[in-house]
Amino acid sequence: MKANIDISKVNLCYSEYGKPSIKNEDIYFNLSHSKNLIVIGIAKQELGIDILYERRINQEFIPFFFSKEEQIYLDGLKEEKNDYYWNALCYKEAFIKRIGGQIIDMKNKLVCPQNIEYGKVIKEKEDIQSIFFKELNYHICLIADQIYDKINIEKLNIEDIYKELNTWY
């Protein structure tokens, strides 16, 4: 809406990995949902975003999705074990959603950063940057080539969005 794009004329296209994008526009988006929240990332560059609601750790997931390095680190944690588990899954999913594909493909190709500081940009060796947030029991990870110091985060009321969309028709 803020970019003044007429959504009735938006054409979606899909990458070879199934990632949707807006055809012929320099606006990129990604979205994720978990339980009763939705996060949407909008930028002028490719990005991936994921949100996960923290539950009990599923031990059966660990050998399939976590590298040996991550498994060793996770095993050594006590208090931060839940946070690292959910951040790692969120990180891998956000990375995959940036380009498209499947999370299992990242098991040994992508290692989640350790000692994450929420709200602080992490510059990584893969020439990507990430930022993590935790709100109540939700973990959020955003991944892009460049994350700027100032990120605009808005909490939107779905009723206000419906009202705005209805004025367009």
Side-chain angles (χ1 to χ4, degrees):
M1 291 180 209
K2 291 179 181 176
N4 292 321
I5 296 174
D6 182 351
I7 63 168
S8 67
K9 294 186 169 98
V10 167
N11 290 318
L12 291 179
C13 57
Y14 298 88
S15 74
E16 64 181 294
Y17 299 108
K19 180 173 180 177
S21 62
I22 300 172
K23 189 174 183 176
N24 301 325
E25 294 291 339
D26 289 330
I27 296 175
Y28 299 88
F29 69 94
N30 201 239
L31 63 96
S32 180
H33 67 89
S34 185
K35 204 169 177 180
N36 61 353
L37 288 184
I38 298 171
V39 294
I40 301 172
I42 302 170
K44 292 183 179 183
Q45 63 176 321
E46 226 23 279
L47 72 150
I49 194 165
D50 194 48
I51 184 171
L52 291 172
Y53 182 75
E54 187 177 298
R55 300 174 297 280
R56 183 181 55 82
I57 290 176
N58 185 337
Q59 295 293 330
E60 293 176 15
F61 277 11
I62 294 172
F64 290 103
F65 298 114
F66 289 75
S67 69
K68 287 288 183 204
E69 180 181 338
E70 290 168 320
Q71 290 178 45
I72 291 167
Y73 181 71
L74 188 63
D75 285 342
L77 292 174
K78 301 261 186 284
E79 296 171 21
E80 302 89 11
K81 191 173 206 148
N82 270 351
D83 282 346
Y84 187 77
Y85 175 87
W86 290 104
N87 285 334
L89 288 177
C90 206
Y91 175 74
K92 291 175 185 246
E93 187 69 23
F95 186 86
I96 285 296
K97 290 174 71 179
R98 181 175 166 262
I99 57 168
Q102 297 179 345
I103 190 172
I104 199 163
D105 296 336
M106 290 295 108
K107 175 183 175 179
N108 294 310
K109 295 179 184 172
L110 188 68
V111 175
C112 182
Q114 299 173 2
N115 304 314
I116 292 165
E117 292 181 52
Y118 294 110
K120 186 172 182 178
V121 175
I122 301 169
K123 296 177 181 170
E124 304 172 42
K125 14 180 178 171
E126 291 89 10
D127 294 328
I128 60 165
Q129 296 181 2
S130 60
I131 189 166
F132 293 81
F133 299 97
K134 184 176 179 187
E135 180 76 26
L136 302 172
N137 287 345
Y138 290 92
H139 293 262
I140 300 169
C141 180
L142 169 70
I143 292 182
D145 291 338
Q146 175 81 36
I147 298 175
Y148 299 96
D149 292 335
K150 185 174 180 186
I151 297 175
N152 184 20
I153 298 173
E154 297 179 49
K155 291 183 180 181
L156 303 174
N157 178 324
I158 196 68
E159 294 299 322
D160 294 338
I161 294 170
Y162 285 141
K163 287 177 191 172
E164 179 71 25
L165 288 173
N166 283 329
T167 64
W168 289 15
Y169 299 105

